[in-house]
Amino acid sequence: MSDADLEEIRKGRLAQLQQQQQQQGGAGGGPGAAGQDEQRKQQEAEARASILSQILHPEAADRLGRIRIVKESRATDVENRLIMLARSGQLRAKVTEEQLKELLGAVAENNERDGTTGGKIVVSRRKGGWDDDDDLLDL
C-alpha cells in the first residue's frame, strides 16, 4: 500500500463527507445532531473497514474478525496500530496472518506491561476456619 493510494482514499472520503454535509444544509444543534453523530460514526467505521480491507490478506481479516468476537478491545487496538502503520508508510505489502499473530503478541505484551489486560483473576482464600476434620465432629 503506497502513500499515494492512501492519500487518494483520504481525498475521496473527504470529498464524499463534504458533499453529504452540503446536502444536509448544515443543520446542527437540534434533534438532528444525534443523527449526524451516528452517521459520522458509521462513516468512520466504513473508512476503517475500507482501509483494513486494503492492508489485510483475507485470512488475516478473518482472524481479526474472530478476535473481535472474543475481545473487541484487543481487536480495536490491533486495528488502530495497523491503520497507524499504513498511514505512516511502514507497511510495504498486505499483512499476512503470521504478521498479524506477531502484532497480536506485541499488543498483548504491551498491555501486560501497562497492566491494562483486565483479564487477570485473583482468588483469595480464607486461611483456617474451614477444615475437613471438622466434619467428623458432626457425627
Side-chain angles (χ1 to χ4, degrees):
M1 171 119 311
S2 68
D3 290 337
D5 293 337
L6 288 174
E7 189 63 34
E8 184 179 316
I9 292 170
R10 283 190 211 121
K11 285 180 182 179
R13 192 70 183 146
L14 180 62
Q16 183 183 12
L17 290 172
Q18 288 175 347
Q19 183 182 19
Q20 287 177 352
Q21 263 186 341
Q22 289 174 356
Q23 289 174 353
Q24 291 176 355
Q36 288 179 351
D37 194 36
E38 283 293 320
Q39 186 177 10
R40 181 182 52 80
K41 287 180 183 178
Q42 182 181 3
Q43 289 172 348
E44 288 175 0
E46 289 173 3
R48 288 174 63 91
S50 173
I51 291 172
L52 288 171
S53 68
Q54 292 178 2
I55 63 174
L56 290 175
H57 274 282
E59 297 85 17
D62 288 344
R63 180 174 288 271
L64 193 57
R66 289 190 304 270
I67 291 168
R68 178 170 298 287
I69 291 170
V70 175
K71 189 154 187 158
E72 189 164 346
S73 62
R74 170 98 20 113
T76 304
D77 289 344
V78 171
E79 286 177 359
N80 289 339
R81 190 171 286 194
L82 283 169
I83 291 172
M84 180 186 65
L85 290 171
R87 286 184 176 161
S88 66
Q90 294 180 7
L91 294 179
R92 302 287 180 231
K94 285 190 170 191
V95 176
T96 64
E97 190 172 5
E98 292 301 318
Q99 291 170 328
L100 184 64
K101 287 179 187 178
E102 291 173 10
L103 186 61
L104 283 165
V107 169
E109 186 178 298
N110 192 18
N111 284 346
E112 286 175 10
R113 196 172 0 144
D114 293 344
T116 58
T117 56
K120 189 172 185 180
I121 298 174
V122 177
V123 177
S124 97
R125 303 200 184 263
R126 296 184 207 163
K127 304 217 188 274
W130 296 99
D131 192 1
D132 289 340
D133 294 338
D134 292 341
D135 293 338
L136 297 175
L137 297 175
D138 294 335
L139 297 174

